[in-house]
Amino acid sequence: MLLPAALLLGSLSAAHGATHPPVTAKTTTPPGDEFKVVSEQFADLRILRYRVPGFETLSAKQKTLLYYLYEAALSGRDIIYDQNYKHNLRVRRTLEALWPANQKKLTGATAADAQKLAVYAKRVWFSNGIHHHYSTRKFLPECSQAYFAGLVRAADPKTLPLEKGETVDKFLAFITPVMFDPNVAPKKVNQVAGQDLIQTSATNFYEGVTQAEAEAYYDKKIDKKDPKPISYGLNSKLVKNSAGQIEERVWSSQGMYGPSIGKIVYWLNKALTVTETPEQKDALTKLVAFYQTGDLKTWDAYNIAWVQDTKSLVDVVNGFIEVYADPLGYRASYESVVSFKDLEATKRIKAIGDQAQWFEDHSTILPQHKKKNVVGITAKVITVVVESGDAAPNTPIGINLPNATWIRAAHGSKSVNLGNIVEAYDVASATSGSLDEFARTAEEKARARQYGALAGKLHTDMHEVIGHASGQINPGVGTTKETLKSYASALEEGRADLVALYYLPDAKLQEIGVVNSPDVAKAEYDSYLRNGLITQLTRLQPGETVEEAHMRNRQMVSKWVLEHGKADKVVEMVQENGKTYVKINDYAKLRTLFGELLRELQRITSEGDYAAGKNLIETYGVQVDQALHKEVLERYRKLNIAPYQGFIQPKLVPVMSKSGAITDVKVEYPTNFAQQMLEYGQKYRTLPNYN
């Protein structure tokens, strides 16, 4: 599971400086200039940059390994576009073909249309397709269709993504509604209860199949009593063949996405020549075998080997990982995160991981739902080198893998905090002004400024290290995607959040040296409820309900404690000077409420109680107070800040000897988002328009 970056005005620090010295590696930042984290802002997005501190101190062999993993990561970039929507690659390639001509029209009579099309192109790059990366709703070009058509007709047809025998006019007639019509593929992932979630979702994981048919297909295949179930459907597209039979098109080097996966395998094989440890080599060997065969038992074997590789400094996440983009929670999006361990920062998160059994034993969950032996939690802070697929340009701040419950229980997990990514977010948020607007009192603001950065990091650590690794499912119940279905992700994220929230005030954290004041927990309680009840509403358009899993989780938790603490006025929504604020009156009782909800969420998970899980999410996590929403949007608009952020990736450049061997690798820091996207589109073009 991953923890996405918090909303800019949510739990990120309002004032937190860099904790690493400047990187001395070669960059594309002009000599003598200060490294600028914030690059540009457009639509509801802000583009940032991050550094890779410590890279220059690595050995040549480690740098070479990172370079090969970097190339493997980016080689799968086309996959995420195709997974997100079947026409995304054609749209992206159209925009890339038109980009040079459009740039020349940014002055004069066509300037307004040209600027709007440029913004649309950057939004497509940011979201890996034509649907918003977070809301999953389709966004449209704001330029005129006539302007777009003129650019297409003026372009060299050889540069356009035409299908065999297709004329420019036919292509234009096809691509225009795909891009401009709001009724064509309006939502990538639909989670509205009572609707066919497959038929109403544009995600490219199913074709010719209804939700009922897909669920029936897996009901027949899955043995809920299997103690070691494979991740059914994780790496395939479910389709009806010409005979009307349902079958899976497996993603492998010999199957669907073969050209991309073949490139990934090529670079992984290169990486195998420079591995650091036998355990790392074993894990990467199994990953290659999985990609070559598509066998999900091999995927499990890889995950077990990956968890057991704890001594290597370099690490990589590469594969079909998270299932948020599948409305049914089976199929996973491609992603990769290439990193190396931050040894000093890891001390904090390791201290938490070392106490995993203590936290499990002292949890509020029912005794029968507790793990008797919490094993193999490897906790660390990592320095990210590059991210790709579903992890970029918008990136998580924490990761806990593998996702298979039985592997975590038997073999453990890796929980990581993306240290340099979190730092970049903190630096970017320092002057946003959001804290002053939405925090109620001077005391709350001062507490956030002093402890907010640490509080946010600890919440991420606890969420990933203890939260996702805690609890157990009752024998014979089945996995959460089978029992809790479309609500599984929101409930799981809520469960992990509640573990973190419950333990943040605990004296144990001061005892192990990761907290120095009870105000750290108060700062996070302030931030979490402020986000869950108010500020995350800035991510919605007027009239919308909450559908994204993490947003549902945060609102559900926040509204539940608000309601269940109402009699004692534990938390209140108050009006002051015409503005709505969250007021926490009793932090101790609030912690008790978090513990009670944690117990219920674990019971729902352990017993597979679909009805109770659905009721929690639908009652507390979905509906929006429209009057409050209007107020929040008006207050936020005045701040002129973007609610979503993502990154330009660092670039690794190998230094070659005369014989062609890599002798060193340098880090460069590009400054132009569009230029990087255009370069990626050319260099890592591995798939045809349709797959």
Side-chain angles (χ1 to χ4, degrees), residues 318-333:
N318 189 301
F320 304 109
I321 310 293
E322 303 294 350
V323 297
Y324 300 116
D326 179 358
L328 301 189
Y330 286 96
R331 325 199 111 67
S333 302

Side-chain angles (χ1 to χ4, degrees), residues 57-307:
T57 67
L58 300 175
S59 69
K61 183 179 179 181
Q62 289 169 325
K63 291 179 184 178
T64 302
L65 174 59
L66 285 166
Y67 171 70
Y68 290 148
L69 295 174
Y70 162 96
E71 290 290 349
L74 292 170
S75 293
R77 179 175 178 261
D78 273 357
I79 295 174
I80 189 65
Y81 279 87
D82 192 75
Q83 288 181 318
N84 283 342
Y85 179 49
K86 66 186 297 183
H87 301 307
N88 270 340
L89 286 172
R90 287 190 95 185
V91 172
R92 193 195 81 197
R93 288 163 182 168
T94 300
L95 295 169
E96 290 168 351
L98 300 181
W99 183 264
N102 189 66
Q103 290 298 98
K104 294 178 182 178
K105 294 180 178 293
L106 289 173
T107 57
T110 60
D113 275 329
Q115 180 60 34
K116 290 173 181 176
L117 187 61
V119 168
Y120 177 75
K122 287 189 277 189
R123 295 188 73 185
V124 169
W125 289 323
F126 189 96
S127 294
N128 297 311
I130 67 172
H131 298 89
H132 195 279
H133 75 286
Y134 204 86
S135 73
T136 83
R137 287 171 175 80
K138 182 179 181 178
F139 51 84
L140 307 176
E142 296 181 7
C143 65
S144 70
Q145 292 186 32
Y147 173 78
F148 173 74
L151 283 179
V152 171
R153 291 196 173 99
D156 181 349
K158 294 179 181 178
T159 67
L160 297 172
L162 305 181
E163 290 294 283
K164 186 176 181 179
E166 187 178 35
T167 65
V168 171
D169 283 342
K170 285 185 177 180
F171 166 71
L172 190 57
F174 163 78
I175 204 71
T176 299
V178 168
M179 293 171 57
F180 286 87
D181 190 338
N183 298 312
V184 173
K187 190 183 294 185
K188 183 176 76 175
V189 183
N190 181 35
Q191 292 286 8
V192 177
Q195 297 182 8
D196 186 314
L197 302 185
I198 290 179
Q199 296 288 303
T200 56
S201 296
T203 187
N204 192 25
F205 290 141
Y206 302 88
E207 195 157 343
V209 181
T210 67
Q211 179 180 346
E213 289 172 329
E215 289 175 341
Y217 176 83
Y218 286 110
D219 282 343
K220 291 180 181 178
K221 291 195 71 168
I222 296 174
D223 178 6
K224 292 185 178 180
K225 296 181 180 180
D226 184 354
K228 298 180 180 180
I230 61 171
S231 300
Y232 288 92
L234 189 77
N235 65 327
S236 66
K237 180 176 179 178
L238 197 67
V239 302
K240 274 187 181 176
N241 60 25
S242 58
Q245 299 170 321
I246 296 178
E247 63 182 22
E248 295 180 87
R249 295 185 60 204
V250 176
W251 307 329
S252 72
S253 60
Q254 304 302 314
M256 188 174 176
Y257 300 140
S260 278
I261 295 174
K263 282 286 187 182
I264 296 171
V265 167
Y266 170 84
W267 288 108
L268 290 178
N269 279 326
K270 288 273 192 181
L272 281 168
T273 66
V274 286
T275 49
E276 299 176 273
T277 65
E279 292 83 4
Q280 186 180 60
K281 187 168 187 176
D282 180 48
L284 289 178
T285 299
K286 287 180 168 65
L287 179 57
V288 168
F290 163 70
Y291 272 135
Q292 291 173 329
T293 64
D295 183 356
L296 286 168
K297 287 187 177 180
T298 304
W299 173 248
D300 287 343
Y302 156 69
N303 278 282
I304 293 169
W306 178 75
V307 165

